[in-house]
Amino acid sequence: MKHLRLPVVLAAGALALTACAGVGKKDAGGGSSDQSSAGSTPTGTLKVMGFGGDDEVAQSRVTAFKTAFPGVTVQNNKGDFDAQQFLTAVSSGNPPDVVYMDRKLVGTYAAKGAIQPLDDCIKNNGIDTTQYREAAMNEVKLKDKTYGIPEFYGVSTNLISVPALKSAGVAVSDIQTADWDKLEQTVKKLYKAKNGRPARIGFDPKMPEFFPLWAMANGAELVKPGGAPNLNDPKAVEALQYTIKLINDQGGWANFKTFRDTFDLFGAKNQFTKDQLAAFPIENWYLNVLLDSRPNGLQLQSTPFTDRQGKPISMLGGSAWVVPKGAKNPNAACQWAKTMTSIATWHKAAEARMQTVAKDKTFFTGLFTGNKVADDEIKAQYLKPTGDAGFDAAIKNCYDVLETAKPLNPSPAGAEIDAAWQSAVAKALAGSATPQAALDQAQADAKAAYDKVSQG
């Protein structure tokens, strides 16, 4: 089975923003004015960037577009979004027509004039934005203009290896994130070492990438409403200190990371079936990956990731389609964004996924998109009890947080803020700075970037 993955956005992407001065000034007019007149049919070549598009969910939607618009030739340079490549293309005046990127980057590129507002595209083509989840739409807006069309919607839950817990005499309910002292005691029971190095990680807090989730669990927002950074909030510092303590209890960062890097995360024989990991939080797309490891002894369970009051929470991740400044075929780009995210097209994707499920004799683990109407209809039509209680629990946990999951607040310096906290967490994990000092420096760097772009 081919697997659905969200795009990987390289941390270096934010650094590339300052390296390409050609898109460093704002474009209040938003580039090309031709974002598809009402009723016009696109033709010509459509250049797509940042879209892997290998699995059945992607290919069925590409086919839907090609069928609807046979006069358009799609050129998809497959691969994850690359900030340097994107900005170089925009600066050179030869950009792609439509780009697939993480929604948290949209504010930064909008502020820099590298992408154009899609308000005319939405109006002229009758795109009903109420079909998309409100949180996803908010991520693609800046100063009352809309710069992207939401696609996938990522939430997370705790996944657990039942055999690992049984071997340590730990209950599934002990994998919880409300009582941090109790979780640390649970981790010590589950952790196994050999010759002073990790042989099984008890609980992987998924650092550095899940730092915003731990900060949220402790009551901190890394980006304030309005977009200013808040990286050295005392609650964020405490969350970083705690997660580093969890890692130090399990061999320390160097040993922990070295061992974790040996995991075959996408293999049929993975960290769970090899008893290398007892539990970790991870995004919903990973459930589909784990189907392949059931024949190899996977026994899964799941608990929700909660805040310290016990309320299930999740960071919201996901992607969007954007149109770069200077795109040669914005008409086709607009129709692409509309078609790839429409209710009818998501149904075709679900049908394709169900065909794969039938062929592989597995089961449906859900389809999580930015289109709420499509999600609800697909869930009602296809999601059934799987016969595997652990998968059922995990799927339920993911659906249960769809309405409450939160992204980092959108910011015109979103990419710079992202790079700042990632650098800080890396320094703190490596021990080259205390969590407080690392986040203080990150806050100063991010604030400078935010002030610069805000003063425009």
Side-chain angles (χ1 to χ4, degrees), residues 4-34:
L4 177 66
R5 294 185 61 187
L6 294 178
V8 175
V9 179
L10 301 178
L15 300 177
L17 288 170
T18 57
C20 294
V23 294
K25 55 185 180 181
K26 294 182 178 179
D27 178 11
S32 171
S33 61
D34 182 14

Side-chain angles (χ1 to χ4, degrees), residues 244-257:
I244 290 175
K245 190 177 181 184
L246 279 185
I247 291 170
N248 287 340
D249 287 342
Q250 301 177 91
W253 176 241
N255 289 327
F256 184 97
K257 183 177 184 302

